[in-house]
Amino acid sequence: MERRELLKMIALLTGGVVIGGEVFLSGCKNSAGSAIDFSKEMVALLDEVGETILPRTNTPGAKDAAIGLFMKTIVTDCYTEADQKIVAAGIKELGNRCHEKYQKDFLSCTNEQRTELIKQIDSEAKQYNVKKYAADAAKSATTKGTLEYKKDTMPNHWFTMVKQLTLWGFFTSEAGASQALRYLPVPGRYDGCVDYKKGDRAIYPSY
């Protein structure tokens, strides 16, 4: 699976274009720096949020892929300053909602409480994105050929970005590629007809 194909898969799973993907694919680095203070505590929190999205089962989870550090790298190197600030505000919102709902912070919540809250936020993000993409499509249709063409009408949702980063970081990690997927380190000839047995993992060759 090539990088571009992986990003397409993540876009399909999350219902939108992978944010920061263009910068990543072009090999460029965001020169603006980071609008977020990625302290050890922040990275640890992102690890736990990622683990709630992709928990360890009989295969590795997000923490096995050091997802917090991956998020720090991509947000710093590939996100615009505006999207960086959205992520920072979203993490703060997560903390506030934990205190409102459970009277404690996210790291102190039980796995069940974390999952309940993340599912609720995920549902809200999906509903938000339906409105966002409809508004963006309508604007693109009326502004085609102008400088306003393809400009977002609504900002990205912070949880969509965190969810995309979790999937992206996990499936490009050694743990995700070699244990959650069937990893072929040296791809051979193309074979368009491979036997499949129920329960087999998808193949992830390196390129």
Side-chain angles (χ1 to χ4, degrees):
M1 186 183 297
E2 297 178 338
R3 290 181 177 182
R4 193 175 298 276
E5 291 303 313
L6 177 63
L7 295 184
K8 287 181 181 178
M9 180 189 76
I10 295 169
L12 181 64
L13 290 173
T14 56
V17 176
V18 176
I19 300 152
E22 297 90 346
V23 178
F24 173 75
L25 289 173
S26 68
C28 298
K29 183 175 180 179
N30 182 7
S31 60
S34 179
I36 305 177
D37 177 18
F38 281 103
S39 62
K40 290 182 180 179
E41 292 75 19
M42 172 68 82
V43 171
L45 174 60
L46 293 173
D47 271 337
E48 297 300 333
V49 173
E51 186 72 9
T52 306
I53 296 170
L54 276 181
R56 168 180 271 276
T57 54
N58 60 328
T59 56
K63 281 202 296 187
D64 294 299
I67 207 67
L69 287 174
F70 177 84
M71 291 189 195
K72 173 183 177 180
T73 299
I74 297 298
V75 171
T76 300
D77 291 354
C78 301
Y79 275 21
T80 64
E81 182 179 356
D83 281 335
Q84 290 175 356
K85 290 180 178 179
I86 290 171
V87 172
I91 296 300
K92 184 177 181 179
E93 176 194 333
L94 178 66
N96 291 337
R97 291 180 66 164
C98 274
H99 280 285
E100 290 174 4
K101 193 175 183 68
Y102 306 117
Q103 291 74 54
K104 51 188 174 182
D105 60 38
F106 189 81
L107 295 179
S108 300
C109 288
T110 65
N111 289 336
E112 291 74 17
Q113 290 171 334
R114 293 180 185 184
T115 300
E116 180 183 32
L117 182 57
I118 289 298
K119 282 184 176 179
Q120 182 180 345
I121 296 173
D122 186 32
S123 177
E124 293 169 5
K126 288 175 181 176
Q127 293 175 33
Y128 177 90
N129 287 335
V130 169
K131 296 178 182 178
K132 170 178 166 55
Y133 301 139
D136 288 347
K139 182 174 183 179
S140 294
T142 58
T143 60
K144 192 170 183 179
T146 72
L147 293 176
E148 292 297 309
Y149 181 54
K150 288 189 176 180
K151 282 189 178 180
D152 292 342
T153 56
M154 297 167 63
N156 293 310
H157 194 286
W158 74 269
F159 186 76
T160 299
M161 291 188 269
V162 169
K163 187 175 182 180
Q164 288 182 347
L165 289 169
T166 299
L167 296 172
W168 183 356
F170 179 71
F171 287 112
T172 54
S173 70
E174 180 180 357
S178 63
Q179 297 183 57
L181 300 173
R182 286 184 292 162
Y183 183 67
L184 298 180
V186 184
R189 64 181 177 82
Y190 171 75
D191 191 344
C193 185
V194 180
D195 289 336
Y196 172 79
K197 295 179 182 178
K198 188 174 181 179
D200 280 352
R201 293 172 289 171
I203 295 175
Y204 179 61
S206 62
Y207 287 93

